[in-house]
Amino acid sequence: MKIYTKTGDKGQTSLIGGTRVPKFHVRIESYGTVDELNSYIGLIMCQDIDRHHQQILKEIQDRLFTIGSSLASDPERSKMKIPDLLESDITLLENEMDTMNELLPELKHFILPGGNTVVSYCHLARCVCRRAERLTVQLAAESFVDNNITIYLNRLSDYLFVLARKLSADTKTAEIIWIPRI
């Protein structure tokens, strides 16, 4: 099977279900941004971090493929069975955040992205996740999107923030707090 098909050479692409849309369509932007996010998650996962975090990130990558598949489907025409995103997927992120937060100092300031490479990767992924969420909310305003997708993306950006804090603590890197000039 060839990777290139030449069917997109004129700026159109097919959704699951066969519908052709322009490559700038919000649905394409949504799942393309989820794919970008998945790549950043892979970048974090291959850093020198705790095995447990790597396993959770692998699970997140799997869920992001589920989300991408759902977003790439025409809700009106697709007959393909797409895996479901479950409430338990959202609960996993919440439980992971609760566990990490128990080990972290109380958050009293805004934190600037940075400190070390892996923490910076977490913040990049968090920003891409927020963009994916915004695009998905925009798509949901005009077409069906499973509500669990927007909830999951919202929780995932929070998870990535808490993970950045936890990895700062694990590597004994001071958080860079924002203190506004007044």
Side-chain angles (χ1 to χ4, degrees):
M1 176 179 150
K2 290 185 177 184
I3 295 297
Y4 61 92
T5 62
K6 300 183 183 183
T7 59
D9 289 354
K10 294 185 179 174
Q12 297 273 310
T13 192
S14 292
L15 300 175
I16 297 172
T19 304
R20 304 273 306 159
V21 295
K23 290 186 176 185
F24 58 82
H25 191 280
V26 67
R27 183 170 293 281
I28 308 306
E29 288 291 332
S30 295
Y31 75 76
T33 305
V34 167
D35 186 37
E36 181 183 353
L37 172 59
N38 209 336
S39 296
Y40 275 107
I41 298 295
L43 185 61
I44 298 165
M45 193 173 66
C46 68
Q47 302 303 303
D48 185 22
I49 62 174
D50 182 85
R51 179 98 176 114
H52 175 76
H53 296 313
Q54 289 175 331
Q55 290 170 337
I56 296 299
L57 291 168
K58 175 70 172 79
E59 183 74 20
I60 290 167
Q61 284 192 305
D62 187 83
R63 295 295 80 77
L64 290 175
F65 251 80
T66 296
I67 290 170
S69 298
S70 180
L71 294 174
S73 298
D74 181 338
E76 305 292 322
R77 295 186 56 192
S78 178
K79 305 235 186 300
M80 181 182 284
K81 175 65 177 137
I82 304 293
D84 291 324
L85 190 65
L86 306 173
E87 285 185 31
S88 60
D89 298 319
I90 296 163
T91 302
L92 173 69
L93 296 176
E94 293 171 345
N95 291 340
E96 288 296 314
M97 284 187 281
D98 291 344
T99 299
M100 288 187 286
N101 271 326
E102 288 176 10
L103 304 170
L104 293 171
E106 182 182 355
L107 187 60
K108 295 181 181 179
H109 299 278
F110 286 105
I111 297 173
L112 298 175
N116 67 37
T117 302
V118 70
V119 171
S120 296
Y121 289 156
C122 288
H123 284 291
L124 283 168
R126 177 184 55 78
C127 292
V128 173
C129 189
R130 287 283 190 212
R131 180 165 27 100
E133 179 187 8
R134 290 190 304 271
L135 288 164
T136 302
V137 168
Q138 180 184 353
L139 175 62
E142 61 187 57
S143 182
F144 174 78
V145 173
D146 179 355
N147 192 44
N148 280 341
I149 290 175
T150 53
I151 294 169
Y152 186 87
L153 292 172
N154 184 275
R155 287 309 176 284
L156 181 55
S157 63
D158 294 336
Y159 167 84
L160 291 165
F161 176 78
V162 176
L163 180 62
R165 293 196 71 216
K166 179 68 169 76
L167 294 176
S168 283
D170 289 352
T171 58
K172 298 180 181 9
T173 302
E175 292 180 320
I176 306 168
I177 62 171
W178 179 61
I179 302 173
R181 289 186 282 175
I182 299 179

